Amino acid sequence: MSTLRPLVAYLRVSTDKQGRSGLGLAAQRQAIEAFALANGYDVVGEYQEVETAKGTDALERRPQLAAALTRARKLKCAVVVSKLDRLSRDVAFIAGLMAQRVPFIVTELGTDADPFMLHIYAALAEKERALISQRTRAALAGKVGKGVLGNRTNLSEATAKGAASNKAGADAFARNVLPVIESIKRSGISTLGGIAAELNARNVQTARGGRWEAMQVSRILKRAA
């Protein structure tokens, strides 16, 4: 009989942040597997999330994280991530996860990082994000003052980048919610209206944080096709 303790792994990437963190799915998985091997754990499940849009720090908009929590709760084990920012840099969101009464392990912090320490690390990360944002705004303001930004060419380029970012966010949300829709369809619900009603019943929100309607389900299915 195995004496290894079970762990549920959660991996997350976002195309706009992945370059800064240096952690793709493969690197996250490698870090988690190495941690499990060194500390007597067995990774019994893996849940992957891809998101790019801002404002996704809400559990109902992270279906794979919610599924990982459910699995860990049933197994009475922890959810493991490679870095704390794979969960979030937002202190309030981290606090909400702690309230789920499922332990979290961050491989780079080790097993001694209790919920109190995770709150501290999250607060530091949130402060770092605010400082980066302030420095970025200051740099942009300096460029505007020098006439580098503000012309029509740069405006068109910024508009195009914004549209591409919005599309990437919508695609990522569709990929994340599609497994939930497929699960609903397997339960015998096949109509768009029925799927929308079941998503609402499961407290899964739309990309804009609202309630589902048949047309929105149709758009998700078309985007994923």
Side-chain angles (χ1 to χ4, degrees):
M1 181 180 294
S2 174
T3 59
L4 298 178
R5 294 165 290 176
L7 272 182
V8 173
Y10 176 69
L11 291 70
R12 182 176 70 91
V13 293
S14 52
T15 56
D16 57 340
K17 299 175 185 175
Q18 186 174 340
R20 291 200 299 272
S21 70
L23 276 179
L25 288 175
Q28 292 178 57
R29 186 177 298 110
Q30 182 179 10
I32 289 172
E33 290 175 350
F35 172 86
L37 181 63
N39 292 276
Y41 288 99
D42 180 27
V43 178
V44 297
E46 178 182 294
Y47 296 83
Q48 299 179 12
E49 202 109 62
V50 178
E51 60 89 14
T52 58
K54 292 183 179 180
T56 50
D57 277 347
L59 188 56
E60 60 270 19
R61 299 182 66 184
R62 297 267 198 95
Q64 295 304 308
L65 177 55
L69 287 168
T70 299
R71 179 81 179 278
R73 196 175 291 113
K74 288 181 179 179
L75 296 175
K76 297 181 179 180
C77 69
V79 172
V80 61
V81 294
S82 59
K83 295 182 67 176
L84 187 59
D85 66 5
R86 296 305 84 198
L87 289 174
S88 177
R89 289 188 178 92
D90 183 81
V91 177
F93 185 69
I94 295 294
L97 291 179
M98 298 301 107
Q100 296 291 321
R101 299 188 182 280
V102 172
F104 283 86
I105 295 177
V106 181
T107 63
E108 69 172 4
L109 301 179
T111 56
D112 293 331
D114 58 19
F116 175 73
M117 291 302 299
L118 292 181
H119 276 90
I120 292 177
Y121 283 114
L124 292 173
E126 186 175 77
K127 182 63 175 179
E128 178 187 16
R129 182 174 60 178
L131 291 174
I132 291 173
S133 178
Q134 290 173 6
R135 288 195 292 267
T136 300
R137 287 197 299 269
L140 289 174
K143 289 185 177 181
V144 170
K146 294 178 181 179
V148 177
L149 298 178
N151 58 58
R152 290 184 177 274
T153 301
N154 287 325
L155 180 59
S156 298
E157 181 181 351
T159 301
K161 288 182 178 179
S165 177
N166 289 338
K167 182 181 183 302
D171 288 342
F173 180 79
R175 288 194 297 271
N176 286 335
V177 80
L178 187 61
V180 181
I181 292 177
E182 293 298 333
S183 173
I184 292 172
K185 291 169 68 176
R186 286 194 297 270
S187 72
I189 301 174
S190 58
T191 66
L192 296 176
I195 294 172
E198 183 63 19
L199 285 169
N200 292 328
R202 296 188 184 190
N203 293 319
V204 177
Q205 295 185 344
T206 65
R208 295 187 177 183
R211 292 179 60 80
W212 289 88
E213 296 181 0
M215 181 59 69
Q216 292 163 310
V217 175
S218 176
R219 289 171 181 166
I220 290 290
L221 294 175
K222 289 179 180 178
R223 186 177 291 274

